[in-house]
Amino acid sequence: NMKFAALSLLSLMGACAASPIRIPMKKRDDKEFLASRREFLAQKKDLTSSSSGGSVVVNNYENAQYYGEVSLGSPAQTFEVIFDTGSANLWVASASCTSSNCRSHPKYDSSASSSYAANGTTFDIEYGSGACTGFLSQDTLNWGGLTLEEQTFSEITDAGGMGIAYSVGKFDGILGLAFDEIAVCGDPNDGGYVESCVPTPFTRLHETGVIDEAKFAFYLGGLRPCFPECMDGYAGELTLGGIDEDHYVGDLAWVPVSKPAYWQITIDSFGVDGADYSTSDTKEAIVDSGTSMLVGPPDAVDQIADALGARKMAATGEYVVSCKKDLPDIEISIGGLPYTISADDLVLADGPICILLMLGMDLTPEGIGWILGDVFMRKYYTVFDMENEQVGFAVATNSSDY
């Protein structure tokens, strides 16, 4: 009922990993991120959710900052992908991609791979700015040194629906980490989507015993100051098959997934200075590594920005505030526990002004009120437990509160 499309056969090669596999992550430069985001917003793209025949998209990836490496084929063809908890399929640009925004990216060439197997099922995804289309293929996937043979993925032949977000983005594709339920295949205009039709790479790693635990976790580099590893190009880490206790302090607080599709949880409140801007219709949130912002209902975000003393830019819809202003914390209550986002985590300097890393988007038709993106995940080490359908949070060792 959700984001992407694919069909798969299950086969795997590789040794069992007794300890978590560490995937280094990279981060787009903050100035580059702001510039590309502003250009995207200036084009007045549709920032509401898009629905077509059961496909739902909650972001356009213009907000994505973190990415990492995978390879496909034999010999390996390398791609930088967003590890996205808000989707459940794997795609990269095809050698036959015709849209202009594919030009700056490496493209998968099936003719150069001895392990390629044709599939051909149609792939179609609707973004707020338009459609991305292609077809399914199978090949060997290497991810963090682990090998998955016959992994089904999508070759994109027209990425026009990604618009400028893909043209200027550092990422070449997406590797979805949501539940299999939102991995779909088929064409909404020709028979409709088929849901839960492809096991995700992470699901396959666990079900075939390559990793011991169906858990993965994100440790993301902060905005300011960057923790020391960033100096070596290391901006965070994704661990597969477990957690790293050195990346957080205290105990993990576990929150049940309210609907195993996205990583969706229920919040108690979302407020500033004691005022709650959530309503009975906006108590559901998704924890999404595919967006760097905090996202909420447009009216609520306008009110929160006002409470923070920020003003909205007419040309782009961004919220700006003086970098010298002493901002109150955003207060999110989840499972009866408080989670605060301070000004250091919430704004990004752009010359003499600071950009508020919040965005208004109406996702209530999908039963979602808020997206807790990288703004939240930078401060709170986040563990995704697929087997027990729960998410764990603890203060990260690189957060401003550590």
Side-chain angles (χ1 to χ4, degrees), residues 330-360:
I330 283 183
E331 304 152 351
I332 307 169
S333 177
I334 306 171
L337 297 176
Y339 295 85
T340 60
I341 306 295
S342 66
D344 286 342
D345 302 306
L346 189 60
V347 298
L348 190 57
D350 184 26
I353 62 171
C354 275
I355 307 299
L356 189 65
L357 296 176
M358 292 197 72
L359 176 69

Side-chain angles (χ1 to χ4, degrees), residues 73-95:
S74 304
Q77 301 175 43
T78 302
F79 304 92
E80 303 284 5
V81 299
I82 297 171
F83 300 123
D84 179 26
T85 60
S87 68
N89 292 85
L90 170 62
W91 67 257
V92 295
S94 172

Side-chain angles (χ1 to χ4, degrees), residues 79-286:
F79 304 92
E80 303 284 5
V81 299
I82 297 171
F83 300 123
D84 179 26
T85 60
S87 68
N89 292 85
L90 170 62
W91 67 257
V92 295
S94 172
S96 56
C97 187
T98 58
S99 57
S100 60
N101 58 356
C102 279
R103 293 173 185 167
S104 60
H105 296 279
K107 301 169 188 66
Y108 170 79
D109 183 358
S110 61
S111 67
S113 175
S114 62
S115 49
Y116 163 75
N119 180 301
T121 302
T122 298
F123 176 88
D124 186 291
I125 172 99
E126 284 288 332
Y127 290 95
S129 49
C132 287
T133 57
F135 57 91
L136 304 186
S137 294
Q138 289 181 348
D139 211 331
T140 299
L141 168 68
N142 187 282
W143 184 18
L146 303 177
T147 301
L148 287 164
E149 288 189 343
E150 299 180 7
Q151 176 63 46
T152 300
F153 66 100
S154 298
E155 294 191 48
I156 295 295
T157 56
D158 183 352
M162 294 291 289
I164 195 171
Y166 193 54
S167 298
V168 301
K170 294 290 188 181
F171 66 98
D172 305 314
I174 308 294
L175 191 153
L177 286 165
F179 290 86
D180 288 7
E181 282 82 352
I182 64 172
V184 296
C185 57
D187 186 338
N189 301 311
D190 184 17
Y193 287 108
V194 179
E195 298 178 3
S196 192
C197 66
V198 50
T200 64
F202 183 77
T203 295
R204 296 181 69 215
L205 287 177
H206 181 247
E207 289 184 346
T208 52
V210 175
I211 55 176
D212 293 336
E213 298 182 87
K215 292 179 182 175
F216 59 91
F218 282 91
Y219 176 66
L220 301 181
L223 290 176
R224 300 185 307 272
C226 185
F227 56 93
E229 295 95 328
C230 290
M231 302 305 294
D232 298 319
Y234 174 96
E237 187 173 84
L238 166 65
T239 57
L240 305 175
I243 62 177
D244 186 337
E245 295 182 354
D246 291 336
H247 284 338
Y248 66 92
V249 293
D251 297 324
L252 287 163
W254 293 101
V255 182
V257 170
S258 56
K259 183 180 179 181
Y262 297 119
W263 288 92
Q264 184 171 327
I265 61 174
T266 302
I267 67 169
D268 307 317
S269 62
F270 197 112
V272 177
D273 281 339
D276 181 11
Y277 296 98
S278 67
T279 68
S280 59
D281 294 328
T282 61
K283 295 295 188 183
E284 294 296 295
I286 63 172

